[in-house]
């Protein structure tokens, strides 16, 4: 697996695995990033690619000092299961 890339022009984090790309789409408003939707191709399903994508995205968000709004159910569930990212949530 390669590293998670922030494609700022397309407003998405990307993770390419075996020629297939998983995406986590977002909106940025000041210092708040809203994750709207995550897509993992069927070819990558069940391999933990979505989790690796979200983890990589959240690590970059932390470095940039952003707060998170998790509209995407997958991102919301991931943060719910990983207490180390709950401090990133916008309150």
């Amino acid at each position: 697996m390669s590293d998670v890339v922030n494609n700022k022009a397309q407003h998405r984090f990307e993770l390419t695995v075996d020629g297939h790309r998983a995406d986590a789409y977002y909106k940025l408003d000041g210092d708040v990033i809203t994750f709207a939707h995550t897509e993992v191709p069927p070819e990558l399903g069940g391999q933990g690619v979505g989790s690796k994508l979200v983890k990589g995205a959240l690590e970059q968000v932390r470095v940039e000092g952003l707060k998170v709004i998790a509209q995407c159910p997958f991102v919301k569930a991931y943060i719910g299961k990983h207490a180390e990212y709950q401090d990133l949530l916008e309150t």
Side-chain angles (χ1 to χ4, degrees):
M1 288 189 188
S2 58
D3 292 329
V4 174
V5 174
N6 185 355
N7 183 335
K8 293 181 180 184
Q10 298 296 319
H11 305 286
R12 67 185 179 217
F13 287 93
E14 303 172 345
L15 178 59
T16 302
V17 180
D18 297 333
H20 302 282
R21 192 186 74 224
D23 300 306
Y25 293 90
Y26 65 83
K27 287 185 314 185
L28 187 60
D29 184 14
D31 64 349
V32 177
I33 188 167
T34 301
F35 284 95
H37 181 64
T38 301
E39 291 180 5
V40 176
E43 296 85 356
L44 300 178
Q47 300 176 37
V49 172
S51 293
K52 181 169 183 184
L53 170 63
V54 171
K55 179 180 180 178
L58 292 173
E59 289 295 329
Q60 292 181 44
V61 164
R62 184 183 302 285
V63 168
E64 293 184 29
L66 302 175
K67 286 293 189 178
V68 172
I69 296 174
Q71 286 182 345
C72 170
F74 187 85
V75 174
K76 185 174 186 176
Y78 185 89
I79 293 173
K81 293 176 186 172
H82 296 87
E84 65 270 27
Y85 297 109
Q86 291 178 6
D87 64 308
L88 295 176
L89 290 173
E90 176 70 10
T91 56

